[in-house]
Amino acid sequence: MKIAITGKGGVGKTTISSTLACILSENHDVFAIDADPDMNLASSLGITEKIEPISSMRDLIRERTGADSGSSFGEVFKINPKITDLPEKLSFDYKKDGSLKIMVMGTVEKGGDGCVCPAAVLLKALLRNIVVKKEEIVILDMEAGIEHLGRKTAESVDAMIVVVEPGLKSIETAERIKKLATDIGIKKVLAILNKCSSSEQKDFVEKNLLKINIELIGAIPMDNDVVMSDMEGKALMSYKNSNALKSIKKNCI
């Protein structure tokens, strides 16, 4: 099972991504991939150690592509670099037993690099290898722009889940994401409503999502434990009585 989770900033997609990864890792081996430029997945899991983003590993990028990550346009480099050994080498073993591995992709930060540069080529090749060839469950914490997903990778994603919150702005973002996802071959786009305070809010969101052909698969209530987990730097899984945690387990697995 390969799931990409996305949504506009602030809707709680990283909390949902990290919590889903933790829950699923209780019975399966899981790769949790931080493919959002904000790179908050590790902290959402309570990881205090610094994990270097792969996009900033200049020596590795040069070794595998034959060019520096900041190479100028027109320089020759490998577009199919060797990456089969990297998922194991570059992942953080969260539980120390191999059941949940964390990878931080990072982003191409230099203006003008675009998507055809050594760093971006390595990231996309690495992501494609994990999604297409790995047998583990893969949870991708994406940005709304789904920057890292190429067509071949997208075709192997089982579903894209858009995290929304009550309001038309979030619905509009979901519609844009669905178009992007459909354009690159993702056939199933679903939604999770987060920060829900009433049945009226759920009905409103569900009705508007149906208009753009997105199925709502679950609603997660407002929960102070989510705020506390962020303030205390702990994973939501640490709050056993959390209503949001219970809802994710019940509605989103």
Side-chain angles (χ1 to χ4, degrees):
M1 178 168 61
K2 314 296 169 66
I3 300 173
I5 299 179
T6 186
K8 75 180 186 68
V11 295
K13 64 182 179 59
T14 299
T15 297
I16 292 172
S17 298
S18 62
T19 305
L20 277 175
C22 283
I23 295 169
L24 290 168
S25 69
E26 292 177 345
N27 297 302
H28 307 276
D29 290 337
V30 177
F31 262 105
I33 312 297
D34 192 340
D36 188 331
D38 284 341
M39 297 179 287
N40 293 320
L41 185 64
S43 60
S44 184
L45 287 163
I47 297 172
T48 56
E49 300 173 53
K50 180 176 175 58
I51 301 177
E52 183 181 3
I54 296 167
S55 63
S56 68
M57 298 180 181
R58 298 177 67 93
D59 291 342
L60 175 70
I61 293 168
R62 186 184 305 110
E63 173 196 334
R64 298 305 172 99
T65 68
D68 188 81
S69 59
S71 297
S72 59
F73 181 78
E75 184 170 345
V76 177
F77 56 88
K78 297 176 184 176
I79 61 172
N80 292 302
K82 178 189 174 184
I83 41 76
T84 53
D85 60 319
L86 296 183
E88 303 302 327
K89 287 182 179 179
L90 301 181
S91 58
F92 179 89
D93 190 351
Y94 180 65
K95 295 184 176 181
K96 310 304 180 186
D97 62 1
S99 63
L100 178 52
K101 297 175 183 177
I102 314 299
M103 291 188 66
V104 179
M105 304 296 284
T107 187
V108 179
E109 296 179 353
K110 184 181 177 183
D113 274 347
C115 61
V116 184
C117 69
V121 164
L122 183 70
L123 290 180
K124 288 188 176 182
L126 181 55
L127 189 58
R128 183 168 62 248
N129 176 267
I130 294 171
V131 172
V132 175
K133 297 185 178 180
K134 286 292 183 180
E135 295 182 357
E136 293 92 340
I137 290 175
V138 178
I139 303 294
L140 299 163
D141 182 21
M142 308 295 298
E143 63 174 326
I146 57 177
E147 172 65 21
H148 293 313
L149 286 183
R151 184 170 296 277
K152 290 183 180 179
T153 308
E155 289 172 352
S156 296
V157 171
D158 295 298
M160 174 166 279
I161 297 177
V162 187
V163 180
V164 300
E165 58 188 1
L168 288 175
K169 292 186 181 69
S170 196
I171 304 296
E172 291 169 356
T173 299
E175 185 173 16
R176 288 193 293 271
I177 290 171
K178 181 178 181 180
K179 184 182 185 305
L180 287 170
T182 302
D183 287 347
I184 61 172
I186 298 178
K187 297 178 181 179
K188 183 178 289 187
V189 180
L190 307 168
I192 292 175
L193 171 60
N194 195 26
K195 305 177 186 178
C196 181
S197 298
S198 66
S199 59
E200 288 80 12
Q201 289 183 356
K202 180 183 177 183
D203 292 343
F204 170 84
V205 169
E206 189 166 25
K207 180 181 70 174
N208 281 278
L209 286 173
L210 284 174
K211 293 178 182 177
I212 54 176
N213 297 313
I214 297 179
E215 177 187 355
L216 182 68
I217 61 172
I220 302 170
M222 289 286 289
D223 185 357
N224 190 59
D225 282 338
V226 176
V227 178
M228 292 304 300
S229 70
D230 188 23
M231 291 173 61
E232 296 177 354
K234 297 179 180 179
L236 185 60
M237 289 289 287
S238 303
Y239 299 80
K240 302 302 182 184
N241 295 319
S242 162
N243 289 326
L245 175 61
K246 292 175 183 177
S247 180
I248 293 171
K249 287 181 175 180
K250 179 181 178 181
N251 299 312
C252 305
I253 299 297

